[in-house]
Amino acid sequence: MEWRALAVLAGIGLAACSSMATMAGLTVSSSAFGEGGAIPSQYTCDGADTSPPLAWQGAPEGTRSFAVLVTDPDARGFVHWVLTDIPADVSELPEGQGDAIGVPGANDFSRDGWGGPCPPSGQHRYEFRVYAVSETLGLGEGASADQLRAALQGKVLAEGVLTGVYARR
């Protein structure tokens, strides 16, 4: 009997490992700042407030679109950017052009598209998450971060994050 229990447990362990391996990771980068680096002020409320250049690689086969979600975890997840339905053949968003390439959603500044870092005090972290998605989401302009998160359920093939920091002068 003991060997059967071990065989079942081994099978469960193998199944868990293989399902975890199916979630690939994207490598997300920016030519404007490195991982954990300072976001230049031109991309913030203290500058031109344009979206920074963003690039990714490692999209798995079956990717039909990409989505981007930028939040400030130091401000209870304040949303700076929701961008959906970026075409699958795109692997970068040039400076200031992301909203024209994907479909901009609502940020927590009560407008659609990019809203740069603008912390009230101290240094904050900003997480730039890119998702490889198995289909286009079709949420339309003005979709919220919560709508994006709900639409992504069961459709994310890979995910990557780049974190930058910003403190106002």
Side-chain angles (χ1 to χ4, degrees):
M1 285 303 209
E2 240 179 78
W3 64 272
R4 285 187 183 150
L6 288 174
V8 168
L9 288 174
I12 291 170
L14 287 174
C17 288
S18 65
S19 68
M20 288 174 68
T22 60
M23 176 55 97
L26 295 175
T27 301
V28 181
S29 63
S30 176
S31 58
F33 62 95
E35 174 60 34
I39 299 169
S41 64
Q42 71 193 63
Y43 306 113
T44 74
C45 68
D46 293 322
D49 203 13
T50 58
S51 59
L54 196 62
W56 54 90
Q57 57 185 322
E61 191 172 320
T63 299
R64 299 291 175 256
S65 71
F66 294 97
V68 174
L69 179 60
V70 179
T71 59
D72 176 352
D74 298 318
R76 295 182 302 276
F78 190 94
V79 176
H80 288 268
W81 205 11
V82 174
L83 192 62
T84 63
D85 292 344
I86 300 165
D89 61 349
V90 171
S91 61
E92 65 181 301
L93 301 174
E95 177 180 325
Q97 297 182 29
D99 289 334
I101 294 172
V103 178
N107 61 43
D108 284 344
F109 293 110
S110 298
R111 63 181 192 260
D112 292 347
W114 171 255
C118 197
S121 64
Q123 179 173 283
H124 284 227
R125 294 170 294 147
Y126 299 88
E127 296 179 343
F128 292 73
R129 291 191 181 278
V130 178
Y131 302 92
V133 187
S134 62
E135 60 187 63
T136 55
L137 299 175
L139 293 174
E141 286 193 29
S144 70
D146 287 341
Q147 288 172 314
L148 171 59
R149 290 180 187 110
L152 287 173
Q153 292 298 311
K155 299 172 187 143
V156 176
L157 301 174
E159 176 181 350
V161 64
L162 171 67
T163 302
V165 298
Y166 186 70
R168 298 192 69 193
R169 299 173 228 167

